[in-house]
mmCIF file of all heavy atoms in Angstrom:
data_model
loop_
_atom_site.group_PDB
_atom_site.id
_atom_site.type_symbol
_atom_site.label_atom_id
_atom_site.label_comp_id
_atom_site.label_asym_id
_atom_site.label_seq_id
_atom_site.Cartn_x
_atom_site.Cartn_y
_atom_site.Cartn_z
ATOM 1 N N GLU A 1 37.897 37.674 -25.835
ATOM 2 C CA GLU A 1 38.736 37.350 -27.019
ATOM 3 C C GLU A 1 40.091 36.890 -26.511
ATOM 4 O O GLU A 1 40.849 36.295 -27.452
ATOM 5 C CB GLU A 1 38.835 38.576 -27.859
ATOM 6 C CG GLU A 1 39.513 39.750 -27.316
ATOM 7 C CD GLU A 1 38.481 40.826 -26.861
ATOM 8 O OE1 GLU A 1 37.384 40.390 -26.459
ATOM 9 O OE2 GLU A 1 38.837 41.998 -26.803
ATOM 10 N N ASP A 2 40.508 37.037 -25.354
ATOM 11 C CA ASP A 2 41.686 36.535 -24.836
ATOM 12 C C ASP A 2 41.704 34.989 -24.625
ATOM 13 O O ASP A 2 42.847 34.481 -24.415
ATOM 14 C CB ASP A 2 42.113 37.255 -23.580
ATOM 15 C CG ASP A 2 42.209 38.801 -23.585
ATOM 16 O OD1 ASP A 2 42.459 39.269 -24.738
ATOM 17 O OD2 ASP A 2 42.033 39.500 -22.543
ATOM 18 N N ILE A 3 40.624 34.367 -24.576
ATOM 19 C CA ILE A 3 40.522 32.981 -24.295
ATOM 20 C C ILE A 3 40.277 32.208 -25.521
ATOM 21 O O ILE A 3 39.376 32.456 -26.336
ATOM 22 C CB ILE A 3 39.291 32.786 -23.244
ATOM 23 C CG1 ILE A 3 39.477 33.531 -22.080
ATOM 24 C CG2 ILE A 3 39.291 31.204 -22.921
ATOM 25 C CD1 ILE A 3 38.261 33.481 -21.083
ATOM 26 N N GLU A 4 41.014 31.177 -25.833
ATOM 27 C CA GLU A 4 40.801 30.441 -27.032
ATOM 28 C C GLU A 4 39.732 29.435 -26.816
ATOM 29 O O GLU A 4 39.597 28.838 -25.694
ATOM 30 C CB GLU A 4 42.144 29.588 -27.314
ATOM 31 C CG GLU A 4 42.073 28.777 -28.642
ATOM 32 C CD GLU A 4 43.398 28.167 -28.850
ATOM 33 O OE1 GLU A 4 43.914 27.538 -28.036
ATOM 34 O OE2 GLU A 4 43.959 28.283 -30.050
ATOM 35 N N LYS A 5 38.828 29.242 -27.676
ATOM 36 C CA LYS A 5 37.736 28.392 -27.631
ATOM 37 C C LYS A 5 38.121 26.905 -27.415
ATOM 38 O O LYS A 5 39.205 26.507 -27.896
ATOM 39 C CB LYS A 5 36.775 28.463 -28.809
ATOM 40 C CG LYS A 5 37.350 27.859 -30.111
ATOM 41 C CD LYS A 5 36.298 27.944 -31.205
ATOM 42 C CE LYS A 5 36.800 27.170 -32.482
ATOM 43 N NZ LYS A 5 35.765 27.153 -33.548
ATOM 44 N N ASP A 6 37.403 26.209 -26.624
ATOM 45 C CA ASP A 6 37.593 24.879 -26.304
ATOM 46 C C ASP A 6 38.855 24.503 -25.498
ATOM 47 O O ASP A 6 38.779 23.764 -24.565
ATOM 48 C CB ASP A 6 37.643 23.951 -27.593
ATOM 49 C CG ASP A 6 36.301 23.956 -28.317
ATOM 50 O OD1 ASP A 6 35.284 23.945 -27.576
ATOM 51 O OD2 ASP A 6 36.189 23.967 -29.526
ATOM 52 N N SER A 7 39.996 25.121 -25.869
ATOM 53 C CA SER A 7 41.360 24.751 -25.222
ATOM 54 C C SER A 7 41.481 25.299 -23.852
ATOM 55 O O SER A 7 42.327 24.784 -23.076
ATOM 56 C CB SER A 7 42.442 25.109 -26.183
ATOM 57 O OG SER A 7 42.627 26.487 -26.146
ATOM 58 N N SER A 8 40.802 26.357 -23.501
ATOM 59 C CA SER A 8 41.011 27.122 -22.155
ATOM 60 C C SER A 8 42.388 27.731 -22.066
ATOM 61 O O SER A 8 42.927 28.011 -21.064
ATOM 62 C CB SER A 8 40.777 26.231 -21.028
ATOM 63 O OG SER A 8 39.534 25.772 -20.959
ATOM 64 N N ARG A 9 42.992 27.992 -23.258
ATOM 65 C CA ARG A 9 44.281 28.690 -23.263
ATOM 66 C C ARG A 9 44.118 30.210 -23.137
ATOM 67 O O ARG A 9 43.226 30.739 -23.830
ATOM 68 C CB ARG A 9 45.130 28.379 -24.562
ATOM 69 C CG ARG A 9 45.533 26.951 -24.642
ATOM 70 C CD ARG A 9 46.289 26.717 -26.053
ATOM 71 N NE ARG A 9 46.483 25.339 -26.354
ATOM 72 C CZ ARG A 9 46.546 24.876 -27.520
ATOM 73 N NH1 ARG A 9 46.337 25.745 -28.592
ATOM 74 N NH2 ARG A 9 46.741 23.668 -27.720
ATOM 75 N N ILE A 10 44.922 30.885 -22.355
ATOM 76 C CA ILE A 10 44.928 32.364 -22.364
ATOM 77 C C ILE A 10 45.841 32.812 -23.531
ATOM 78 O O ILE A 10 47.111 32.578 -23.472
ATOM 79 C CB ILE A 10 45.343 33.047 -21.084
ATOM 80 C CG1 ILE A 10 44.438 32.487 -19.911
ATOM 81 C CG2 ILE A 10 45.397 34.508 -21.079
ATOM 82 C CD1 ILE A 10 42.967 32.990 -20.060
ATOM 83 N N MET A 11 45.311 33.385 -24.547
ATOM 84 C CA MET A 11 46.077 33.797 -25.728
ATOM 85 C C MET A 11 46.730 35.210 -25.659
ATOM 86 O O MET A 11 47.740 35.436 -26.362
ATOM 87 C CB MET A 11 45.275 33.770 -27.006
ATOM 88 C CG MET A 11 44.645 32.387 -27.256
ATOM 89 S SD MET A 11 43.762 32.349 -28.776
ATOM 90 C CE MET A 11 42.437 33.408 -28.416
ATOM 91 N N ASN A 12 46.132 36.017 -24.864
ATOM 92 C CA ASN A 12 46.576 37.393 -24.654
ATOM 93 C C ASN A 12 46.383 37.840 -23.280
ATOM 94 O O ASN A 12 45.278 37.552 -22.642
ATOM 95 C CB ASN A 12 45.887 38.263 -25.695
ATOM 96 C CG ASN A 12 46.418 39.671 -25.775
ATOM 97 O OD1 ASN A 12 47.688 39.894 -25.582
ATOM 98 N ND2 ASN A 12 45.539 40.629 -25.978
ATOM 99 N N ARG A 13 47.273 38.508 -22.649
ATOM 100 C CA ARG A 13 47.140 38.975 -21.261
ATOM 101 C C ARG A 13 47.611 40.489 -21.196
ATOM 102 O O ARG A 13 48.725 40.797 -21.455
ATOM 103 C CB ARG A 13 48.020 38.185 -20.396
ATOM 104 C CG ARG A 13 47.818 38.308 -18.786
ATOM 105 C CD ARG A 13 48.762 37.505 -17.974
ATOM 106 N NE ARG A 13 48.488 36.140 -18.222
ATOM 107 C CZ ARG A 13 47.902 35.305 -17.270
ATOM 108 N NH1 ARG A 13 47.562 35.953 -16.123
ATOM 109 N NH2 ARG A 13 47.879 34.060 -17.524
ATOM 110 N N LEU A 14 46.571 41.321 -20.947
ATOM 111 C CA LEU A 14 46.818 42.741 -20.799
ATOM 112 C C LEU A 14 46.450 43.242 -19.435
ATOM 113 O O LEU A 14 45.623 42.583 -18.795
ATOM 114 C CB LEU A 14 46.004 43.515 -21.892
ATOM 115 C CG LEU A 14 46.440 43.252 -23.363
ATOM 116 C CD1 LEU A 14 45.522 43.992 -24.295
ATOM 117 C CD2 LEU A 14 47.776 43.699 -23.609
ATOM 118 N N TYR A 15 47.071 44.346 -19.094
ATOM 119 C CA TYR A 15 46.820 44.946 -17.738
ATOM 120 C C TYR A 15 46.185 46.274 -17.839
ATOM 121 O O TYR A 15 46.103 46.895 -18.961
ATOM 122 C CB TYR A 15 48.125 44.978 -17.013
ATOM 123 C CG TYR A 15 48.842 43.608 -16.815
ATOM 124 C CD1 TYR A 15 49.684 43.042 -17.811
ATOM 125 C CD2 TYR A 15 48.457 42.717 -15.746
ATOM 126 C CE1 TYR A 15 50.154 41.842 -17.664
ATOM 127 C CE2 TYR A 15 48.988 41.556 -15.650
ATOM 128 C CZ TYR A 15 49.884 41.011 -16.627
ATOM 129 O OH TYR A 15 50.363 39.726 -16.458
ATOM 130 N N ALA A 16 45.680 46.773 -16.725
ATOM 131 C CA ALA A 16 44.891 48.008 -16.744
ATOM 132 C C ALA A 16 45.618 49.209 -17.392
ATOM 133 O O ALA A 16 45.110 50.069 -18.065
ATOM 134 C CB ALA A 16 44.501 48.327 -15.277
ATOM 135 N N LYS A 17 46.972 49.315 -17.275
ATOM 136 C CA LYS A 17 47.736 50.409 -17.829
ATOM 137 C C LYS A 17 47.716 50.326 -19.367
ATOM 138 O O LYS A 17 47.794 51.358 -20.085
ATOM 139 C CB LYS A 17 49.205 50.301 -17.382
ATOM 140 C CG LYS A 17 49.953 49.088 -17.768
ATOM 141 C CD LYS A 17 51.403 49.074 -17.134
ATOM 142 C CE LYS A 17 52.086 47.821 -17.500
ATOM 143 N NZ LYS A 17 53.485 47.707 -16.875
ATOM 144 N N ASP A 18 47.565 49.092 -19.868
ATOM 145 C CA ASP A 18 47.431 48.948 -21.396
ATOM 146 C C ASP A 18 46.009 48.746 -21.901
ATOM 147 O O ASP A 18 45.793 48.897 -23.087
ATOM 148 C CB ASP A 18 48.368 47.695 -21.871
ATOM 149 C CG ASP A 18 49.805 47.823 -21.397
ATOM 150 O OD1 ASP A 18 50.343 48.855 -21.614
ATOM 151 O OD2 ASP A 18 50.291 46.814 -20.770
ATOM 152 N N ARG A 19 45.133 48.457 -20.920
ATOM 153 C CA ARG A 19 43.780 48.275 -21.330
ATOM 154 C C ARG A 19 42.837 48.977 -20.302
ATOM 155 O O ARG A 19 42.096 48.347 -19.626
ATOM 156 C CB ARG A 19 43.462 46.707 -21.325
ATOM 157 C CG ARG A 19 42.090 46.402 -21.916
ATOM 158 C CD ARG A 19 41.835 44.916 -21.875
ATOM 159 N NE ARG A 19 42.168 44.202 -23.149
ATOM 160 C CZ ARG A 19 42.183 42.892 -23.346
ATOM 161 N NH1 ARG A 19 42.052 42.176 -22.319
ATOM 162 N NH2 ARG A 19 42.429 42.466 -24.582
ATOM 163 N N PRO A 20 42.857 50.273 -20.386
ATOM 164 C CA PRO A 20 41.920 51.040 -19.406
ATOM 165 C C PRO A 20 40.486 50.740 -19.947
ATOM 166 O O PRO A 20 40.194 50.559 -21.027
ATOM 167 C CB PRO A 20 42.344 52.444 -19.698
ATOM 168 C CG PRO A 20 42.948 52.513 -21.054
ATOM 169 C CD PRO A 20 43.624 51.238 -21.178
ATOM 170 N N PHE A 21 39.559 50.730 -18.907
ATOM 171 C CA PHE A 21 38.228 50.432 -19.243
ATOM 172 C C PHE A 21 37.281 51.485 -18.604
ATOM 173 O O PHE A 21 37.619 52.178 -17.673
ATOM 174 C CB PHE A 21 37.787 49.048 -18.827
ATOM 175 C CG PHE A 21 38.165 48.836 -17.301
ATOM 176 C CD1 PHE A 21 37.235 49.014 -16.278
ATOM 177 C CD2 PHE A 21 39.425 48.341 -16.935
ATOM 178 C CE1 PHE A 21 37.525 48.732 -14.955
ATOM 179 C CE2 PHE A 21 39.732 47.966 -15.551
ATOM 180 C CZ PHE A 21 38.810 48.310 -14.664
ATOM 181 N N LYS A 22 36.153 51.635 -19.253
ATOM 182 C CA LYS A 22 35.119 52.618 -18.825
ATOM 183 C C LYS A 22 34.080 51.911 -17.918
ATOM 184 O O LYS A 22 33.689 52.395 -16.822
ATOM 185 C CB LYS A 22 34.530 53.406 -19.971
ATOM 186 C CG LYS A 22 35.464 54.214 -20.799
ATOM 187 C CD LYS A 22 34.853 54.900 -21.889
ATOM 188 C CE LYS A 22 35.823 55.864 -22.666
ATOM 189 N NZ LYS A 22 35.291 56.475 -23.810
ATOM 190 N N SER A 23 33.414 50.884 -18.483
ATOM 191 C CA SER A 23 32.391 50.280 -17.758
ATOM 192 C C SER A 23 32.918 49.369 -16.629
ATOM 193 O O SER A 23 34.004 48.930 -16.784
ATOM 194 C CB SER A 23 31.474 49.498 -18.702
ATOM 195 O OG SER A 23 32.203 48.526 -19.383
ATOM 196 N N ALA A 24 32.128 49.117 -15.595
ATOM 197 C CA ALA A 24 32.596 48.241 -14.477
ATOM 198 C C ALA A 24 32.835 46.879 -14.948
ATOM 199 O O ALA A 24 32.186 46.337 -15.945
ATOM 200 C CB ALA A 24 31.528 48.257 -13.484
ATOM 201 N N LYS A 25 33.796 46.194 -14.238
ATOM 202 C CA LYS A 25 34.158 44.810 -14.549
ATOM 203 C C LYS A 25 33.902 43.922 -13.379
ATOM 204 O O LYS A 25 33.751 44.366 -12.218
ATOM 205 C CB LYS A 25 35.657 44.797 -14.868
ATOM 206 C CG LYS A 25 36.179 45.684 -16.051
ATOM 207 C CD LYS A 25 35.811 45.100 -17.400
ATOM 208 C CE LYS A 25 36.458 45.882 -18.530
ATOM 209 N NZ LYS A 25 35.926 45.333 -19.717
ATOM 210 N N ASN A 26 33.854 42.671 -13.691
ATOM 211 C CA ASN A 26 33.737 41.699 -12.576
ATOM 212 C C ASN A 26 35.048 41.420 -11.985
ATOM 213 O O ASN A 26 36.040 41.170 -12.744
ATOM 214 C CB ASN A 26 33.089 40.367 -13.088
ATOM 215 C CG ASN A 26 31.572 40.477 -13.303
ATOM 216 O OD1 ASN A 26 30.941 41.381 -12.856
ATOM 217 N ND2 ASN A 26 31.118 39.676 -14.188
ATOM 218 N N SER A 27 35.129 41.321 -10.756
ATOM 219 C CA SER A 27 36.357 41.038 -10.025
ATOM 220 C C SER A 27 36.561 39.517 -9.896
ATOM 221 O O SER A 27 35.502 38.859 -9.488
ATOM 222 C CB SER A 27 36.429 41.748 -8.634
ATOM 223 O OG SER A 27 37.556 41.454 -7.893
#
């Protein structure tokens, strides 16, 4: 959801301290 469709713009940028995650992510 951080990526705008078609335009390739990053609309939102969050970091691990603000977006902790439970399942594994791709590096």
Side-chain angles (χ1 to χ4, degrees):
E1 63 263 27
D2 300 335
I3 306 172
E4 186 176 50
K5 69 174 185 176
D6 293 324
S7 73
S8 295
R9 295 177 190 151
I10 299 296
M11 301 183 296
N12 189 33
R13 191 182 295 255
L14 293 176
Y15 300 90
K17 61 182 178 182
D18 303 311
R19 185 181 264 171
F21 53 91
K22 293 181 181 179
S23 56
K25 301 286 186 184
N26 286 337
S27 175

